[in-house]
Amino acid sequence: MDALAEVRDQGTGNDLLDSAYDLVSENAPSRAEAPRRATPSATPTGNSVAAHTAITCADSDQRLDPLDIDHKLPEFKRASPLFGELSAQPLYDCMHWPVDGERTTPDVSANGAAPIL
């Protein structure tokens, strides 16, 4: 509760971050190696990228090799010229993910349906 009081009263989360470091694996950098953030606007040093990858790879069981992904890139670009290539990035991120995903990505198209976005 003291850690939450720090957030409420001082606008920082240093005690929460200290607690999180107590829970991480021994391979993670120690709390002493991470910079102490004095303001809430400072850049976080957390595991959000790793967490995002884990969540993304858990959502789908699709695991392609690099050549298959490269072959699909034009399809992504046709679907979205602006975001298509970026949308394919999780396929690369999950290529060697060691845990199977939850489900096969379903086809959500329907004949005669208007594009959603």
Side-chain angles (χ1 to χ4, degrees):
M1 289 304 247
D2 291 337
L4 294 177
E6 176 197 352
V7 173
R8 181 192 66 222
D9 299 339
Q10 299 174 22
T12 59
N14 293 317
D15 288 343
L16 285 174
L17 188 58
D18 286 338
S19 298
Y21 272 89
D22 290 341
L23 301 174
V24 297
S25 74
E26 59 190 57
N27 295 329
S30 71
R31 177 66 177 105
E33 295 170 331
R36 190 138 177 104
R37 294 188 305 275
T39 64
S41 63
T43 303
T45 59
N47 68 345
S48 61
V49 172
H52 182 266
T53 300
I55 292 165
T56 299
C57 295
D59 283 346
S60 174
D61 64 358
Q62 191 170 23
R63 305 290 186 262
L64 302 173
D65 67 48
L67 292 176
D68 289 333
I69 298 168
D70 290 345
H71 182 72
K72 287 185 172 281
L73 278 178
E75 184 180 337
F76 277 82
K77 290 177 183 177
R78 273 193 308 277
S80 175
L82 185 59
F83 297 111
E85 194 166 354
L86 181 63
S87 298
Q89 185 60 46
L91 296 173
Y92 291 104
D93 294 342
C94 298
M95 278 186 320
H96 303 294
W97 193 253
V99 180
D100 290 337
E102 288 290 317
R103 62 193 161 278
T104 301
T105 305
D107 178 11
V108 295
S109 63
N111 287 336
I116 294 173
L117 294 176

